[in-house]
Amino acid sequence: MAMQTFAGDPGAFARFDLARVPSPCFVVDEARLEQNLRVLADIQARSGATVLCALKAFSMWELAPLVSRYLSGVCASGLWEARLGREEYGGIVETYSAGYKPDEMTEIAGLSDHIIFNTQAAKDRFLPVLQASGRDIHVGLRFNPGLPLGDDAKYDPAAPGSRLGTPLEKIDAAALAGVDGLHMHTLCEQDLSPLLAIWEHIAPRIRTLAPHLKWINFGGGHHITRADYDREGLIAFLRRVTEETGLHCYLEPGEAVALDCGILVGAVLDVVENDGANAILDISATCHMPDVIEAPYRPALLGEGGDTPVRLGGPSCLAGDVIGRYDFGAVPAIGTRVAFLDQAHYSMVKTTTFNGVRLPALAVWNSDTDALRVIRKFDYNDFKGRLS
Ligand SMILES: Cc1ncc(COP(=O)(O)O)c(C=O)c1O
């Protein structure tokens, strides 16, 4: 069954002329992004917590100066994101990976302000490298709270048998030698209540460990910029944790930064009639929106409506390269532009050139001023350059 999509508000894109950009193209509304950033900066200011942008979700670095104006830095998933964070963004670079390559650790230590390890053994193995860097690096250990509260085990790092984080009960004072903080990440598109439930579950143990520590990082998955998110409750929670434990709190949302900020524009290339209409687009689920197949979910279509159902699919050879069934006023003509909503996060960062399908161009639009700039177009060399 396809997952529910929480986002999908067209916002200002309802009045964006899709013909203004090449096809396919990701278009990000920087005014909407700034609204989200203001919400997150307000949480940061009023809670005393530090909020970082998770680059794995959204790393359109053209907008790094804007992101850095509001947030305190970035959270990276390894060497390359850490380098992008250091090169393009301001503030803290925090790096967490479930597995570090030994030959990358010196460079990671040269780039990162926080380095978080998945296990005590990895921390012990790499601590000398961090010390040799001569930099004041905060060392973190990721724990697994062991309370799965997600709808889908695939997106729940607290699911039984998970490889992500050391079970909290296994973390004792010895495991914390050289450690400044604890990190957890188990939420996915969730409201405040699962975070509160996890805190109830872990608080007794965290209170015992807190005297050895400086901070706690509650990871991402907090859908803070969704209209119905309990932001006042989050602020009160973060303040309470700091008051009770003396620990500084960190959050590292990704999706919440770019929620409802971008669309993926495409065009109809052909129509195949087979038990209903199949429109072939220059957008491919597998190449451009792989979560559509992986999750799976059905992305919202800009301006959907009518009584003609049409299956939309990609140009690739994959039979399952199907985006979904959508209602149109009539079977769309060849060349018709379409756009999928809420594609700024976890799509642009996941694209591939399978089948030699063209990568979408990247554009920034400002819905306040109507200024549009196409910042990147991809060509044959981008495809060829990834192969040899
Ligand atoms: C360690 C970590 N931090 C932060 C995030 C960002 O999560 P989200 O984009 O759901 O806020 C993720 C997502 O997988 C993650 O694994």
Side-chain angles (χ1 to χ4, degrees), residues 188-205:
C188 178
E189 297 191 334
Q190 270 153 314
D191 201 345
L192 179 64
S193 44
L195 178 61
L196 298 182
I198 289 170
W199 178 249
E200 285 312 307
H201 183 67
I202 64 174
R205 183 117 195 101

Side-chain angles (χ1 to χ4, degrees), residues 54 56-57 75 96 142 183 185 187-189 219-222 252-256 346:
K56 71 187 74 188
C75 134
Y96 159 79
R142 177 167 174 173
H183 174 277
H185 167 80
L187 303 179
C188 178
E189 297 191 334
H222 320 278
E252 48 187 38
E255 183 161 329
Y346 292 113

Side-chain angles (χ1 to χ4, degrees), residues 304-363:
E304 183 181 5
D307 50 17
T308 306
V310 179
R311 287 181 222 98
L312 300 181
S316 82
C317 63
L318 178 72
D321 190 0
V322 174
I323 301 163
R325 209 184 90 141
Y326 294 85
D327 292 330
F328 284 77
V331 174
I334 312 294
T336 302
R337 292 289 177 107
V338 295
F340 296 98
L341 302 179
D342 197 28
Q343 294 304 315
H345 55 83
Y346 292 113
S347 288
M348 198 187 301
V349 291
K350 286 191 167 194
T351 52
T352 72
T353 54
F354 177 54
N355 274 223
V357 171
R358 183 184 285 273
L359 292 167
L362 306 178

Side-chain angles (χ1 to χ4, degrees), residues 32-291:
R32 176 59 209 252
L33 177 66
E34 190 160 7
Q35 276 176 31
N36 286 353
L37 291 167
R38 281 207 185 96
V39 168
L40 295 168
D42 178 59
I43 300 280
Q44 186 167 243
R46 292 201 287 135
S47 69
T50 297
V51 181
L52 308 174
C53 172
L55 292 182
K56 71 187 74 188
F58 180 64
S59 44
M60 190 188 211
W61 48 270
E62 167 80 7
L63 297 172
L66 180 60
V67 172
S68 303
R69 208 176 304 147
Y70 289 93
L71 304 186
S72 296
V74 299
C75 134
S77 322
L79 174 59
W80 287 352
E81 284 189 356
R83 187 169 158 188
L84 184 67
R86 185 56 76 209
E87 282 178 2
E88 299 295 334
Y89 292 75
I92 297 169
V93 174
E94 176 237 288
T95 306
Y96 159 79
S97 174
Y100 292 105
K101 289 170 76 67
D103 58 354
E104 291 183 351
M105 210 60 217
T106 300
E107 208 179 336
I108 289 172
L111 294 164
S112 311
D113 302 297
H114 286 208
I115 299 183
I116 295 167
F117 296 97
N118 206 37
T119 61
Q120 179 187 352
K123 181 261 297 177
D124 291 341
R125 205 158 57 239
F126 291 118
L127 215 44
V129 183
L130 274 50
Q131 284 156 353
S133 76
R135 300 182 66 245
D136 179 22
I137 300 170
H138 283 229
V139 177
L141 187 59
R142 177 167 174 173
F143 69 92
N144 190 322
L147 184 66
L149 296 176
D151 297 330
D152 181 348
K154 197 163 38 176
Y155 293 98
D156 193 337
S162 169
R163 73 190 194 290
L164 300 169
T166 300
L168 184 57
E169 64 276 11
K170 298 214 166 111
I171 297 181
D172 54 17
L176 295 182
V179 169
D180 300 285
L182 289 178
H183 174 277
M184 59 157 266
H185 167 80
T186 62
L187 303 179
C188 178
E189 297 191 334
Q190 270 153 314
D191 201 345
L192 179 64
S193 44
L195 178 61
L196 298 182
I198 289 170
W199 178 249
E200 285 312 307
H201 183 67
I202 64 174
R205 183 117 195 101
I206 300 292
R207 284 193 198 103
T208 312
L209 300 172
H212 304 277
L213 300 166
K214 299 188 184 91
W215 48 261
I216 183 161
N217 183 326
F218 290 107
H222 320 278
H223 236 193
I224 301 167
T225 49
R226 206 167 85 204
D228 61 351
Y229 188 92
D230 179 5
R231 295 172 199 151
E232 296 305 319
L234 177 65
I235 291 168
F237 166 72
L238 295 167
R239 292 173 72 112
R240 178 160 65 89
V241 169
T242 299
E243 275 160 29
E244 277 180 18
T245 63
L247 299 177
H248 184 83
C249 294
Y250 287 82
L251 296 178
E252 48 187 38
E255 183 161 329
V257 174
L259 192 68
D260 275 334
C261 288
I263 57 174
L264 177 54
V265 175
V268 175
L269 304 178
D270 202 1
V271 176
V272 181
E273 289 291 344
N274 186 354
D275 193 19
N278 293 279
I280 311 289
L281 305 180
D282 55 0
I283 295 175
S284 157
T286 190
C287 299
H288 305 147
M289 303 187 289
D291 281 355

Side-chain angles (χ1 to χ4, degrees), residues 16 21 25-31 60 62-63 66 362-367 370-376:
F16 180 75
V21 290
C25 184
F26 287 105
V27 185
V28 171
D29 175 3
E30 60 185 351
M60 190 188 211
E62 167 80 7
L63 297 172
L66 180 60
L362 306 178
V364 173
W365 177 53
N366 186 309
S367 57
D370 203 32
L372 174 75
R373 50 190 205 278
V374 177
I375 55 176
R376 183 84 204 260

